């Protein structure tokens, strides 16, 4: 799928960061479009064949939340939010509005490219025909047809709710999911704030699938944001 030259829109008002990102993207044969303001970004999104947007939250004219809100009324394209360390709240807000992932400044070229690959792969999967019903991360395997979970050769007995959590994480493998998105998907809209229930569920699942639950290899915690299933594959 990387044979296409994907068009990436970089929305960033810091010239140096913008150049660094474009330099990195172009070295990987992506086509880079740039905007320094939200207004410019909206104009390019309407005019160019953009496949993915990298969005800085601190823009001079509008905040990133508003850009996502507007974009999501007409497009499902992957959006990776780029934020400074002190913008945790905003970061969670844009993820809840439908951004796909985030990068915290400063980030490396390899981190940037890895996040882009995950987001694009996820997009192709969604738009592709039938998704493979067997998901895998290292030794951990979930067979969605049989509704079973395996670690290496052994079957792991999980509760229906643990299964639902793991399936949700696998369907979004490599992407961060915010606590409120997970709560909404698993418990339903009414349980929006019960983060303790999610922590308990995650801890129980980790005890079953992680060698060292205190240092998880599969279900990774994104502090202040939510969880991410490791991207690691066989
Ligand atoms: Ca900025």
């Amino acid at each position: 799928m990387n044979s296409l030259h994907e068009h990436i829109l970089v929305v960033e008002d810091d010239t140096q960061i913008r150049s660094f990102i474009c330099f990195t993207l172009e070295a990987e044969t992506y086509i880079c479009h740039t905007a320094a303001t939200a207004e410019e970004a909206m104009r390019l999104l309407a005019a160019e064949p953009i496949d993915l947007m990298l969005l800085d939250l601190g823009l001079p004219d509008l905040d990133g939340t508003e850009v996502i809100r507007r974009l999501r009324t007409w497009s499902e394209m992957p959006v990776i939010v780029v934020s400074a360390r002190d913008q945790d709240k905003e970061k969670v807000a844009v993820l809840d509005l439908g951004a796909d992932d985030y990068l915290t400044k400063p980030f490396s070229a390899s981190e940037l490219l890895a996040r882009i690959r995950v987001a694009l792969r996820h997009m192709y999967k969604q738009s592709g025909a039938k998704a493979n019903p067997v998901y895998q991360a290292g030794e951990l395997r979930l067979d969605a047809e049989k509704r079973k979970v395996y670690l290496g050769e052994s079957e792991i007995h999980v509760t229906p709710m643990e299964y639902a959590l793991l399936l949700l994480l696998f369907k979004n493998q490599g992407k961060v999911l915010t606590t409120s998105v997970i709560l909404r998907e698993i418990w339903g809209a009414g349980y929006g704030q019960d983060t303790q229930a999610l922590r308990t569920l995650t801890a129980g699942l980790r005890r079953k699938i992680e060698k060292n639950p205190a240092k998880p290899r599969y279900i990774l915690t994104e502090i202040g944001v939510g969880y991410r299933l490791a991207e690691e594959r066989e």
Side-chain angles (χ1 to χ4, degrees):
M1 36 180 96
N2 280 334
S3 56
L4 306 164
H5 296 283
E6 283 103 347
H7 291 249
I8 299 184
L9 174 61
V10 179
V11 189
E12 170 63 77
D13 58 328
D14 183 311
T15 321
Q16 259 183 324
I17 298 176
R18 206 166 58 221
S19 311
F20 160 73
I21 294 177
C22 270
F23 177 80
T24 308
L25 295 180
E26 282 165 356
E28 290 288 311
T29 78
Y30 292 114
I31 296 160
C32 192
H33 301 261
T34 57
T37 62
E39 196 194 340
E40 226 179 307
M42 296 312 294
R43 193 175 54 73
L44 285 170
L45 283 166
E48 299 292 338
I50 309 293
D51 296 300
L52 179 148
M53 174 165 62
L54 281 168
L55 175 68
D56 172 33
L57 287 185
L59 293 169
D61 52 344
L62 265 184
D63 86 38
T65 323
E66 194 49 37
V67 176
I68 303 270
R69 200 191 302 280
R70 292 186 190 179
L71 177 74
R72 282 291 177 253
T73 63
W74 55 273
S75 169
E76 289 298 306
M77 86 170 60
V79 176
I80 299 174
V81 163
V82 177
S83 71
R85 251 172 230 297
D86 56 357
Q87 291 173 316
D88 261 10
K89 259 210 174 127
E90 243 182 312
K91 195 156 76 183
V92 173
V94 284
L95 287 168
D96 283 340
L97 275 174
D100 295 81
D101 210 338
Y102 68 86
L103 278 162
T104 304
K105 295 175 189 172
F107 50 84
S108 67
S110 58
E111 260 181 289
L112 169 69
L113 293 169
R115 295 298 164 75
I116 289 176
R117 277 196 299 272
V118 168
L120 288 173
R121 193 170 62 227
H122 192 73
M123 174 185 74
Y124 289 124
K125 233 193 229 167
Q126 301 283 82
S127 59
K130 188 166 149 262
N132 186 347
V134 178
Y135 300 92
Q136 181 137 15
E139 303 253 280
L140 182 65
R141 204 166 79 247
L142 183 148
D143 186 328
E145 211 163 39
K146 297 184 186 147
R147 298 184 64 88
K148 283 181 193 274
V149 177
Y150 303 89
L151 197 58
E153 295 303 306
S154 348
E155 186 184 341
I156 304 292
H157 297 280
V158 294
T159 68
M161 216 167 228
E162 287 168 347
Y163 178 84
L165 172 61
L166 196 57
L167 180 62
L168 178 66
L169 289 168
F170 259 125
K171 281 184 172 167
N172 294 282
Q173 187 169 11
K175 279 177 47 177
V176 64
L177 293 179
T178 65
T179 302
S180 56
V181 164
I182 299 174
L183 288 169
R184 195 182 61 216
E185 291 293 319
I186 297 190
W187 278 270
Y191 290 81
Q193 297 310 315
D194 198 356
T195 54
Q196 186 50 45
L198 176 57
R199 265 198 294 272
T200 306
L201 182 67
T202 310
L205 186 54
R206 275 176 173 157
R207 277 194 295 275
K208 296 180 181 177
I209 63 171
E210 303 280 1
K211 265 201 191 93
N212 180 358
K215 270 187 149 181
R217 167 181 170 190
Y218 299 117
I219 301 179
L220 311 175
T221 299
E222 296 283 322
I223 294 167
V225 179
Y227 298 95
R228 180 195 303 272
L229 192 78
E231 238 236 288
E232 123 183 67
R233 279 152 203 274
E234 285 278 58

